[in-house]
Amino acid sequence: MLLSQMERGRSRLLRRSAAVLILLALGAVVSLGTTWALVLLDPTKQPEGSVLALSGPGGKTYLASLAHAFGRDLWTVTCAERTPYTFPQAPGWLPLPGEREYFSISEGWGWPARCMMQHGYLWQNNGWMADAADSFTWQRGLKTYQFPTRILWWGMLLNTLIWSAAAFVVWRLVRAARRRLRARAWRRRGLCRGCGYDLRGLGPGGVCPECGRISAPKPVAPGGALAAS
Ligand SMILES: [Zn+2]
């Protein structure tokens, strides 16, 4: 008796852990999917945001401009002279241009948090050079889509948790709706709403001998439900 109870508890724990893992995996997949879907939808960038001065390694000063869109942040950064002022520190994930690069362009994608980025350089004469290691391109007609592949871990963690929670809510709603529909169908056929046990012949307002639920089965026309089942 006790052993079977322990076994049941353990199997429930296993099932719950599996459900949590599946939900987290689903959240990660949805985070990645929304990020790449945003690239496909190509949300229009607002006009360039304000120019910020940032300080980076070696006491250097960088000038950055930030353009926003839904699920999209575009940073353009250039190295300025060393100045005696101190400016806010550049975000840790933001690549800063070195001596040879003119501008560094970084695009963070994802919603609600930016969870992936791609990165390139604007050379003085060469145009934009994408860093091939953190994006892949897909050509469709005249349009080229560039999908980021570098993960911003904090953003990815946050998005995964948020999307997992959303998946959990959807799953519970779907399960509740299915149970309700099933109970209604059982009741219509004269079966117990709780477990589907056949209550015909027990009389109205009886207690289900299987699960103890008090049921008020609808009177069933003789032969009707039997012929249907
Ligand atoms: Zn029952």
Side-chain angles (χ1 to χ4, degrees):
M1 186 71 181
L2 192 71
L3 207 69
S4 82
Q5 239 170 17
M6 269 169 64
E7 244 163 52
R8 213 177 302 152
R10 194 187 296 162
S11 85
R12 192 190 296 152
L13 189 71
L14 265 174
R15 265 209 311 275
R16 289 221 171 132
S17 331
V20 166
L21 281 180
I22 288 169
L23 279 171
L24 284 175
L26 198 65
V29 167
V30 174
S31 299
L32 186 70
T34 46
T35 304
W36 286 351
L38 277 167
V39 177
L40 279 177
L41 292 172
D42 196 17
T44 344
K45 294 190 295 283
Q46 318 271 293
E48 297 283 310
S50 52
V51 172
L52 311 159
L54 302 169
S55 65
K60 280 184 183 154
T61 302
Y62 297 84
L63 291 177
S65 86
L66 173 61
H68 280 295
F70 182 81
R72 179 180 191 181
D73 279 341
L74 180 73
W75 288 84
T76 312
V77 186
T78 188
C79 188
E81 293 297 307
R82 193 187 289 255
T83 63
Y85 310 109
T86 38
F87 295 108
Q89 194 72 24
W93 59 270
L94 188 67
L96 298 168
E99 296 284 312
R100 287 172 59 227
E101 300 95 13
Y102 186 46
F103 274 105
S104 145
I105 299 181
S106 311
E107 205 159 7
W109 291 89
W111 193 84
R114 310 292 166 266
C115 62
M116 299 192 88
M117 67 160 281
Q118 61 196 23
H119 173 230
Y121 291 106
L122 198 65
W123 295 52
Q124 204 136 17
N125 300 313
N126 265 353
W128 191 53
M129 298 258 299
D131 187 341
D134 60 17
S135 67
F136 66 91
T137 50
W138 180 52
Q139 189 98 31
R140 186 170 175 241
L142 290 173
K143 213 162 153 60
T144 307
Y145 298 94
Q146 192 154 6
F147 296 92
T149 53
R150 198 193 292 182
I151 292 174
L152 305 173
W153 288 104
W154 285 113
M156 188 52 97
L157 183 69
L158 187 65
N159 283 4
T160 298
L161 290 177
I162 289 170
W163 287 116
S164 299
F168 178 73
V169 169
V170 169
W171 170 56
R172 292 305 285 247
L173 285 176
V174 166
R175 199 175 68 160
R178 272 181 52 191
R179 282 198 175 160
R180 192 172 239 175
L181 282 176
R182 193 179 58 182
R184 200 179 295 169
W186 274 343
R187 182 168 179 263
R188 213 176 293 136
R189 284 164 56 194
L191 312 177
C192 170
R193 287 171 58 103
C195 67
Y197 185 78
D198 196 344
L199 297 179
R200 283 169 298 181
L202 283 178
V207 173
C208 171
E210 197 63 19
C211 71
R213 194 186 175 100
I214 299 166
S215 292
K218 265 188 180 171
V220 176
L226 277 175
S229 59

